[in-house]
Amino acid sequence: MWTTIWLGWTLAFAVFETIALTNRRDEDTLSENIRRLFRTRTSKVGRAVFTVGWFGFSGWFLLHILTETM
C-alpha cells in the first residue's frame, strides 16, 4: 500500500512540475518556489540557510539509504 502511495505522490509531482515547466509562467515550479521561500536571489542568509539545509538533508539521506538507519 505505501509503495502505491509513494508512486502516486511521485507521479502527481511529475505531472504538476511538467505542467509548470511547459506553461512558462513565473513562480509555479518547485525550484522557483524554493528560491522565493529562501530568498536566494536577494538574501545571503537565505542562501546560507538553504545550503546548510540542502547539504544536511542530502548527507542524512545518503547515510539513511546506505546504512538503513533512521
Side-chain angles (χ1 to χ4, degrees), residues 1-45:
M1 179 177 141
W2 283 104
T3 300
T4 303
I5 292 170
W6 280 110
L7 288 173
W9 181 88
T10 303
L11 181 61
F13 170 77
V15 168
F16 292 133
E17 190 71 3
T18 299
I19 292 168
L21 288 169
T22 58
N23 72 21
R24 302 203 183 266
R25 292 185 196 143
D26 288 338
E27 299 180 355
D28 59 352
T29 65
L30 177 62
S31 297
E32 291 167 328
N33 280 284
I34 293 295
R35 288 182 193 113
R36 189 175 74 230
L37 177 66
F38 288 95
R39 299 183 180 136
T40 59
R41 292 182 178 150
T42 59
S43 171
K44 289 183 180 181
V45 172

Side-chain angles (χ1 to χ4, degrees), residues 49-70:
V49 169
F50 176 76
T51 300
V52 169
W54 182 260
F55 281 107
F57 172 76
S58 297
W60 167 82
F61 196 64
L62 176 69
L63 292 173
H64 171 68
I65 295 300
L66 296 179
T67 63
E68 298 184 27
T69 59
M70 298 301 268

